[in-house]
């Protein structure tokens, strides 16, 4: 695997894809449709960006496989060689409603080992990136998390609305114990908040492979705790829960809340 060449091309394609998205926003001609309901949307831009990456990968790396959100041809349940896992627009609802707070999310694996990761905040122009073994960067500045291992009381948590509304596993109570809880509506950027130290824990009850891939690689690179909510290991190609946190916060959430409640 030529990591440097893949990194060069991935960055180039991300910027090209971002330019396509901005043009689509400016022209405001894209189509919007529902998948499972009014809050689960897909646009013609999602599909266009996925096709853009599929074409580039097939041209430059014909033996690589692509796992992505929109096209059933891009669904695989096992790693084989090099696998690109892509969310062409993470936060489609935000994209439609706000034209902000969305991102392109990309994780690249060799067999089942994460090697490269990118989250491109298109509207802000920020690229979060990682080559495993070299650290995590934001716009080529290396991430140094200043609050390395705060207590829960000192922490800002991010968790999805369903967890808060139902007090799932008493995690809403954990949020009350924390300094604050936030919700952005875009998994990749919520994970990036933890990656750079703007937040100390991220919890979601159900995420798809393309939601998880990039953040998972970066969290591992920074030695953050990254597991399913029940503490089990993550198979990135499987749908499931996610908890990324600094070590003390992860331990407190697990011991004081999650393990004291039956997980459904």
């Amino acid at each position: 695997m030529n990591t440097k060449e893949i990194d060069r091309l991935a960055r180039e394609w991300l910027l090209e894809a971002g330019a396509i998205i901005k043009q689509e926003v400016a022209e405001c001609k894209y189509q919007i449709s529902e998948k499972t309901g009014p809050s689960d949307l897909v646009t013609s831009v999602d599909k266009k960006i996925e096709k853009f990456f599929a074409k580039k990968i097939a041209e430059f790396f014909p033996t690589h496989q692509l796992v992505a959100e929109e096209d059933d041809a891009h669904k695989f349940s096992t790693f084989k060689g090099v696998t690109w896992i892509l969310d062409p627009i993470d936060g489609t609802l935000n994209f439609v409603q706000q034209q902000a707070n969305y991102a392109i999310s990309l994780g690249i694996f060799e067999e089942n080992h994460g090697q490269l990761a990118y989250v491109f905040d298109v509207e802000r122009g920020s690229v979060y990136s990682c080559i495993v073994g070299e650290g995590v960067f934001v716009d080529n500045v290396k991430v140094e998390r200043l609050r390395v291992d705060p207590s829960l009381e000192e922490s800002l948590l991010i968790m999805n609305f369903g967890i808060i509304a139902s007090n799932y596993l008493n995690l809403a109570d954990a949020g009350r114990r924390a300094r604050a809880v936030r919700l952005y509506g875009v998994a990749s950027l919520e994970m990036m908040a933890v990656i750079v130290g703007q937040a100390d824990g991220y919890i979601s009850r159900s995420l798809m492979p393309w939601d998880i891939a990039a953040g998972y690689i970066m969290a591992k690179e920074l030695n953050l705790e990254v597991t399913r909510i029940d503490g089990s290991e993550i198979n990135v190609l499987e749908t499931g829960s996610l908890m990324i946190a600094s070590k003390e916060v992860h331990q407190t959430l697990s011991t004081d809340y999650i393990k004291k409640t039956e997980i459904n």
Side-chain angles (χ1 to χ4, degrees), residues 6 9 21 32 49 57 114 151 170 178 182 186 191-192 220 229 232:
I6 292 174
L9 289 170
I21 293 171
I32 304 166
I49 298 304
I57 294 166
S151 67
N170 294 317
R182 295 290 182 266
V186 48
M191 286 185 273
M192 292 308 99
K220 288 283 190 182
I229 288 178
S232 61

Side-chain angles (χ1 to χ4, degrees), residues 5-6 9 13 53-67 73-74 76 80-84:
E5 179 66 5
I6 292 174
L9 289 170
W13 299 343
F53 274 94
K55 182 178 179 181
K56 291 290 189 182
I57 294 166
E59 178 183 352
F60 285 85
F61 305 108
T63 63
H64 294 190
Q65 69 179 12
L66 171 64
V67 173
H74 302 147
F76 296 91
K80 181 181 179 182
V82 177
T83 301
W84 299 55

